[in-house]
């Protein structure tokens, strides 16, 4: 309010009432303050605006209600100038409401002077501008967001007016093309400086279509920046209308160089993978979670004798050798369940023609970022040839081992013969030489006859032993006696018949069970001799009581063809005699007339055919002879 | 040779009847023997020794032991013998007598302290004399 000359002369009667009504019904907040700002008068609208009654403000300092952040600004912009009688401007600030919220006021403060020109009062008029302030704020926020977004997305706006020829770029486009915004921009500069020559025509065509047909467009093309970098952008254009006429084009431009690069990299790596996949000498397959082939290469199909198309509807289970279905199934399950990411194993596949293909598989899971399985990529290597070589090697090794064992056996045989010659032949020869000397020195005829008798006995003994040894050497040296398929039962019944007298006499029970393996390819003479010696042994070394029970049995165990003979006879103390039981001229019972030849011969016959003989025995409880008639071929493939 | 005054008691363990006959005659000729007992295998000899272990008049001065015998051989005899040798009233000198020239037999005999020596058959009169008159 302007200072009016002769203010005091106004008569405050009717007019005074009029002013009061005007002030008290005003929608604006009108207050009177002393120069320090203390409220002297507040009009009633204050209650609508803040919730305070006018009386609650009288005598109070307005700064108590002004938001602390705004106080200094009010003091400098408004209060101090007014106090000093200088002109002020309207200021906006937050004013505390009774409910604790703030209301935005726009206030103009004016000084009131007395006659001497001294400022005696201050007058303020305020309006609620909360809505405006909020609108402005949200506008500013929008602007900020849009600027952030355009910066992040590297998107800028542009507009080209066809009539005025003016081209407008938003700041983001200046940034994308690295141009100083203060230089401004025009259409010719764009075409001559920033357009990539090969893509220029495409852009011009698009813009022409907008002008002529009002179509919108979106196109990816290259541009050249201020510093000469070639970048990829996506430009969109739309017609701009005025009074129904197309007056220009506006749109957006986005820098997509980075995603273009990524796209290109993906394309390249896909190409590389595809080349590796199709030209690999190894089989490569992609499997889904059911084990079905999603994709497979030529090498894989060829390995199994199929055309690639024939396999596409199959699963790996379909081509796996049935016995190997379990191999890898566990690993596959774990990969599906996410317990592991890769697996390696060897197994057999079935070729289309039916034969086995040995493969070595390396499978790796390919998962999404979420961990979900996309597919399993597996490399398959044909190792059949390697397997064959390995088997040949294994066979050769086994042969070597077998030759080694054979040699060891030969050496122990030689040692045995050495012993026989030493023990069983040297002693009669020694006797003979002494007896001959005795004979020479004999003084009486009686003595001479006696020595002659001894000589005869000894030389007979020697001859017998020699014949036995010759027999054994024959067995050892001609292991290729004729083998034929023979039934155990038929040989056994013949042998049993030879001992019928003894069996009846001793009331022996002979049990033979050849049901598990009724026949064998073996020299008949040897088998007969083995049965004969073992049966004769068991009968000879029977117990007085109970009655002899002798069991014969044949069966297979770990590829060995076994004959077992068990009796309930005297048994042998193996601790004492274990190493001698199969030796020549050994006996283990005093009151029997064995010559210690049977088991020795039996052992030699069995060993000459590659077999083995062992004995288990407990004195008083009988013996069990276990004979490996044929040993497992240790180099089966 | 004044040592012939003492007559020795002998034990011969051998299954070879002819050798036993020959040995008997040879030993007789040494004139150094009081008695000679023969067993055809180790077990008989062991029983005899066990039975008379406390009678020094019966325990022999020498044992000639064959290696290769059908039932209890020389080695097994020595195993058994070792079990009661300490309770014998007198310790006989043991000689292994064998036709075996096998190195392993010789070595094995040498490793057994109970064995005095190893004699290879046939045994000459001189050898018996040397042993029986302790001239070895």
């Amino acid at each position: 309010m302007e200072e009016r000359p002769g203010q005091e002369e106004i008569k405050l009667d009717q007019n005074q009432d009029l002013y009061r009504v005007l002030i008290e019904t005003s929608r604006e907040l009108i207050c009177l303050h002393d120069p320090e700002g203390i409220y002297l008068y507040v009009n009633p609208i204050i209650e609508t605006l803040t919730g305070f009654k006018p009386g609650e403000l009288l005598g109070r300092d307005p700064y108590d209600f002004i938001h602390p952040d705004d106080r200094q600004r009010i003091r400098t912009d408004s209060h101090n100038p007014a106090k000093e009688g200088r002109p002020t401007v309207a200021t906006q600030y937050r004013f505390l409401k009774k409910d604790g919220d703030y209301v935005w006021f726009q206030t103009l403060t004016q000084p009131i002077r007395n006659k001497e020109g001294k400022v005696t009062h201050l007058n303020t008029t305020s309006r609620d501008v909360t809505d405006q302030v909020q609108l402005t704020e949200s506008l500013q926020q929008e602007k900020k967001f849009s600027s952030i977004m355009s910066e992040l997305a590297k998107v800028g706006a542009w507009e080209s007016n066809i009539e005025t020829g003016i081209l407008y770029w938003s700041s983001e486009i200046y940034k994308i093309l690295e141009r100083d915004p203060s230089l401004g921009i025009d259409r010719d500069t764009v075409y001559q400086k920033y357009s990539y020559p090969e893509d220029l025509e495409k852009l011009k065509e698009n813009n022409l279509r907008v002008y002529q047909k009002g179509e919108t467009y979106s196109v990816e093309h290259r541009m050249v920046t201020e510093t000469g970098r070639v970048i990829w952008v996506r430009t969109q254009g739309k017609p701009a209308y005025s009074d129904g006429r197309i007056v220009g084009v506006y749109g957006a431009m986005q820098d997509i160089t980075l995603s273009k690069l990524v796209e290109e990299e993906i394309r390249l790596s896909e190409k590389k993978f595809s080349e590796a996949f199709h030209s690999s000498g190894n089989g490569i397959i992609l499997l889904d979670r059911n084990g079905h082939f999603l994709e497979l290469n030529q090498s894989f199909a060829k390995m199994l004798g199929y055309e690639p198309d024939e396999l596409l509807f199959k699963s790996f289970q379909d081509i796996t050798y049935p016995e190997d279905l379990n191999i890898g199934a566990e690993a596959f399950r774990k990969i599906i369940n996410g317990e592991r990411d890769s697996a390696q194993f060897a197994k057999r596949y079935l070729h289309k023609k039916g034969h086995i293909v040995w493969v070595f598989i390396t499978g790796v899971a390919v998962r999404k970022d979420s961990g979900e399985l996309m597919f399993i990529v597996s490399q398959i290597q044909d190792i059949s040839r390697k397997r064959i070589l390995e088997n040949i090697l294994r066979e050769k090794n086994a042969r070597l081992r077998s030759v080694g064992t054979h040699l060891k056996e030969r050496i122990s045989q030689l040692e045995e013969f050495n012993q026989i010659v030493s023990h069983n032949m040297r002693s009669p020869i020694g006797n003979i030489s002494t007896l001959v000397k005795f004979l020479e020195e004999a003084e009486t005829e009686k003595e001479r006859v006696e020595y002659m008798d001894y000589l005869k006995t000894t030389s007979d003994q020697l001859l017998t032993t020699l014949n036995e040894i010759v027999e054994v050497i024959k067995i050892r040296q001609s292991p290729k006696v004729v083998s034929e398929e023979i039934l155990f039962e038929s040989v056994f019944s013949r042998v049993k018949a030879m001992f019928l007298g003894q069996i009846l006499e001793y009331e022996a029970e002979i049990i033979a069970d050849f049901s598990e393996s009724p026949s064998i390819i073996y020299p008949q003479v040897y088998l007969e001799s083995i049965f004969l010696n073992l049966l004769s042994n068991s009968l000879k070394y029977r117990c007085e009581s109970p009655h002899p029970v002798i069991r014969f049995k044949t069966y297979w165990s770990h590829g060995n063809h076994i004959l077992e003979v068990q009796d309930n006879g005297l048994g042998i103390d193996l601790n004492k005699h274990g190493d001698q039981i199969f030796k020549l001229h050994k006996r283990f019972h005093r009151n029997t007339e064995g010559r210690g030849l049977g088991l020795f011969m039996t052992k030699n016959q069995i060993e000459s055919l590659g077999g083995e003989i062992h004995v288990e025995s407990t004195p008083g409880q009988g013996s069990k002879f276990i004979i490996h008639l044929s040993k497992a071929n240790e180099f089966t493939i | 040779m004044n040592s012939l005054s003492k007559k020795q008691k002998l034990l011969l363990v051998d299954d070879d009847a002819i050798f036993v006959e020959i040995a008997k005659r040879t030993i007789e000729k040494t004139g150094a023997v009081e008695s000679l007992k023969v067993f055809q295998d180790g077990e008989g000899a062991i029983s005899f020794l066990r039975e008379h272990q406390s009678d020094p008049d019966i325990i022999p001065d020498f044992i000639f032991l064959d290696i290769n015998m059908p039932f209890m051989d020389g080695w097994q005899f020595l195993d058994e013998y070792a079990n009661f040798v300490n309770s014998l009233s007198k310790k006989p000198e043991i000689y292994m007598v064998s036709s075996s020239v096998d190195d392993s037999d010789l070595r094995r005999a040498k490793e057994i302290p109970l064995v005095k020596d190893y004699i290879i058959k046939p045994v000459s009169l001189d050898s018996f004399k040397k042993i029986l008159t302790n001239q070895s």
Side-chain angles (χ1 to χ4, degrees), chain A residues 419 422-423 426-427 430-431 433-435 438 450-451 454 457-458 576-577 580 586-590, chain B residues 16 18-19 21-22 25-26 41 43-44 68-71 73 76 98-102 105 120-122:
Chain A
Q419 238 180 352
S422 169
H423 286 139
R426 268 197 100 253
S427 63
N431 286 345
S433 93
T434 316
L435 284 169
F438 278 13
E450 193 187 355
Y451 295 145
Y454 288 153
T457 313
T458 311
K576 265 190 193 171
H577 309 294
Q580 305 197 325
K586 288 287 177 183
R587 283 183 324 179
F588 309 100
H589 299 279
R590 303 181 79 192
Chain B
D16 181 351
I18 308 286
F19 173 78
E21 282 307 320
I22 293 169
R25 274 151 221 263
T26 312
D41 71 68
E43 197 154 340
N68 199 30
M69 291 178 286
F71 183 60
D73 71 12
Q76 288 162 348
S98 171
S99 54
S100 170
V101 286
D102 201 326
D105 284 338
I120 294 165
K121 288 178 184 175

Side-chain angles (χ1 to χ4, degrees), chain A residues 210-368:
Chain A
V210 177
Y211 295 138
Q212 290 172 350
K213 299 181 184 169
E215 289 174 359
T216 62
Y217 69 85
S218 171
V219 62
E220 285 177 11
H221 59 96
R222 285 157 292 186
M223 292 197 89
V224 184
T225 69
E226 186 69 34
T227 58
R229 280 190 309 124
V230 175
I231 59 166
W232 274 94
V233 295
R234 172 188 300 283
T235 302
Q236 287 168 300
K238 275 185 169 182
Y241 292 91
S242 173
D243 297 334
R245 285 183 303 115
I246 294 171
V247 293
V249 193
Y250 72 99
M253 187 187 344
Q254 182 179 20
D255 182 353
I256 55 166
T257 311
L258 202 63
S259 59
K260 269 277 173 193
L261 278 176
V262 172
E263 217 173 79
E264 180 69 2
E265 259 170 42
I266 290 173
R267 208 179 56 78
L268 260 177
S269 92
E270 265 174 5
K271 192 172 165 223
K272 274 187 215 155
F273 176 77
S274 162
E275 273 166 14
F277 184 88
H278 288 293
S279 59
S280 171
N282 285 339
I284 304 177
I285 53 177
L286 305 189
L287 292 177
D288 71 9
R289 50 186 306 118
N290 298 316
H292 285 103
F293 299 120
L294 292 171
E295 230 175 301
L296 52 96
N297 67 353
Q298 185 71 40
S299 295
F300 180 72
K302 202 173 150 200
M303 198 184 287
L304 295 166
Y306 289 92
E307 287 302 317
D309 293 349
E310 291 179 277
L311 286 171
L312 265 180
F313 298 100
K314 291 184 187 288
S315 69
F316 78 82
Q317 291 94 337
D318 295 335
I319 52 158
T320 296
Y321 185 64
E323 280 177 27
D324 289 357
L325 273 170
N326 281 337
I327 301 176
E330 178 69 5
F332 184 75
R333 192 188 62 73
K334 282 189 170 166
I335 287 179
I336 298 290
N337 292 350
E339 289 169 46
R340 58 188 294 182
D341 272 328
S342 65
Q344 284 193 321
F345 48 87
K347 70 174 199 177
R348 286 167 289 184
Y349 279 147
L350 266 182
H351 193 273
K352 193 180 181 181
K353 287 182 185 159
H355 62 259
I356 283 167
V357 181
W358 271 99
V359 292
F360 186 74
I361 299 174
T362 307
V364 179
V366 178
R367 301 184 197 282
K368 293 181 184 167

Side-chain angles (χ1 to χ4, degrees), chain A residues 580-593:
Chain A
Q580 305 197 325
I581 188 159
F582 299 107
K583 290 208 169 137
L584 183 61
H585 295 176
K586 288 287 177 183
R587 283 183 324 179
F588 309 100
H589 299 279
R590 303 181 79 192
N591 306 316
T592 51
E593 76 274 15

Side-chain angles (χ1 to χ4, degrees), chain A residues 30 115 152 185 214 365 390 428 462 512 514 537 578-579 611:
Chain A
I30 300 169
K115 278 186 192 160
L152 286 178
I185 190 67
E390 271 172 14
L462 183 61
F514 305 122
N537 244 19
D579 57 337

Side-chain angles (χ1 to χ4, degrees), chain A residues 55 60 152 231 500 502 507 527 552 569:
Chain A
R60 298 281 301 269
L152 286 178
I231 59 166
L500 203 59
Q502 288 179 44
E507 295 179 44
L527 192 64
F552 287 74

Side-chain angles (χ1 to χ4, degrees), chain A residues 23-296:
Chain A
I23 290 169
E24 294 198 344
T25 58
S26 167
R27 301 304 298 166
E28 288 214 337
L29 176 65
I30 300 169
C31 305
L32 189 69
H33 310 259
D34 74 7
E36 290 314 309
I38 303 299
Y39 287 110
L40 301 176
Y41 173 79
V42 180
N43 74 341
I45 195 70
I46 188 71
E47 195 174 353
T48 316
L49 294 175
T50 69
F52 292 114
K53 290 191 178 3
E56 289 178 274
L57 263 54
L58 293 181
R60 298 281 301 269
D61 184 345
Y63 287 106
D64 293 347
F65 300 90
I66 292 166
H67 192 283
D69 293 351
D70 298 336
R71 284 174 195 163
Q72 193 50 47
R73 194 159 44 81
I74 298 292
R75 205 176 280 283
T76 31
D77 292 356
S78 185
H79 187 188
N80 286 345
K83 234 162 80 176
E84 290 157 15
R86 289 188 282 122
T88 64
V89 289
T91 43
Q92 286 181 0
Y93 60 93
R94 282 157 290 182
F95 190 92
L96 185 68
K97 296 205 291 186
K98 196 166 185 177
D99 63 8
D101 279 350
Y102 281 93
V103 59
W104 275 96
F105 279 167
Q106 188 179 56
T107 299
L108 185 69
T109 308
Q110 293 188 105
I112 300 175
R113 301 166 198 263
N114 63 8
K115 278 186 192 160
E116 288 79 39
K118 188 173 176 251
V119 176
T120 56
H121 296 87
L122 299 175
N123 157 267
T124 57
T125 54
S126 307
R127 279 191 299 143
D128 177 358
V129 293
T130 307
D131 288 350
Q132 285 171 38
V133 168
Q134 277 169 355
L135 194 63
T136 313
E137 270 184 355
S138 66
L139 270 175
Q140 274 168 352
Q141 197 67 27
E142 280 293 300
K143 210 175 148 196
K144 201 167 124 200
F145 281 159
S146 130
S147 144
I148 289 171
M149 263 158 46
S150 64
E151 195 180 329
L152 286 178
K154 297 193 172 179
V155 184
W158 57 275
E159 185 165 5
S160 172
N161 193 307
I162 200 173
E163 290 177 343
T164 60
I166 291 172
L167 178 62
Y168 166 81
W169 273 6
S170 75
S171 62
E172 194 56 35
I173 296 191
Y174 282 101
K175 210 181 274 175
I176 290 170
L177 290 169
E178 301 174 313
R179 182 175 170 84
D180 180 355
S182 64
L183 295 175
I185 190 67
D186 59 79
R187 220 174 307 172
D188 286 345
T189 313
V190 173
Y191 289 139
Q192 283 157 23
K193 192 167 181 180
Y194 298 108
S195 291
Y196 191 76
E198 286 170 33
D199 295 351
L200 185 58
E201 222 30 61
K202 187 159 66 176
L203 272 180
K204 281 186 173 169
E205 270 172 35
N206 273 306
N207 280 329
L208 207 63
R209 280 229 305 279
V210 177
Y211 295 138
Q212 290 172 350
K213 299 181 184 169
E215 289 174 359
T216 62
Y217 69 85
S218 171
V219 62
E220 285 177 11
H221 59 96
R222 285 157 292 186
M223 292 197 89
V224 184
T225 69
E226 186 69 34
T227 58
R229 280 190 309 124
V230 175
I231 59 166
W232 274 94
V233 295
R234 172 188 300 283
T235 302
Q236 287 168 300
K238 275 185 169 182
Y241 292 91
S242 173
D243 297 334
R245 285 183 303 115
I246 294 171
V247 293
V249 193
Y250 72 99
M253 187 187 344
Q254 182 179 20
D255 182 353
I256 55 166
T257 311
L258 202 63
S259 59
K260 269 277 173 193
L261 278 176
V262 172
E263 217 173 79
E264 180 69 2
E265 259 170 42
I266 290 173
R267 208 179 56 78
L268 260 177
S269 92
E270 265 174 5
K271 192 172 165 223
K272 274 187 215 155
F273 176 77
S274 162
E275 273 166 14
F277 184 88
H278 288 293
S279 59
S280 171
N282 285 339
I284 304 177
I285 53 177
L286 305 189
L287 292 177
D288 71 9
R289 50 186 306 118
N290 298 316
H292 285 103
F293 299 120
L294 292 171
E295 230 175 301
L296 52 96

Side-chain angles (χ1 to χ4, degrees), chain B residues 65-134:
Chain B
L65 181 64
D66 187 19
I67 291 179
N68 199 30
M69 291 178 286
F71 183 60
M72 180 189 271
D73 71 12
W75 307 122
Q76 288 162 348
F77 170 90
L78 286 169
D79 285 346
E80 282 288 316
Y81 177 79
N83 289 336
F84 67 95
V85 65
N86 288 331
S87 50
L88 284 179
S89 53
K90 185 167 108 191
K91 256 195 205 169
E93 283 184 3
I94 298 179
Y95 289 85
M96 299 297 279
V97 183
S98 171
S99 54
S100 170
V101 286
D102 201 326
D103 262 357
S104 66
D105 284 338
L106 268 105
R107 246 183 286 124
R108 192 168 164 191
K110 283 226 169 86
E111 279 166 15
I112 302 173
L114 290 170
V115 175
K116 176 94 175 169
D117 204 355
Y118 186 101
I119 307 161
I120 294 165
K121 288 178 184 175
V123 192
S124 67
L125 178 60
D126 277 354
S127 306
F128 272 129
K129 262 189 190 166
K130 272 185 189 166
I131 293 165
L132 295 172
T133 55
N134 284 323

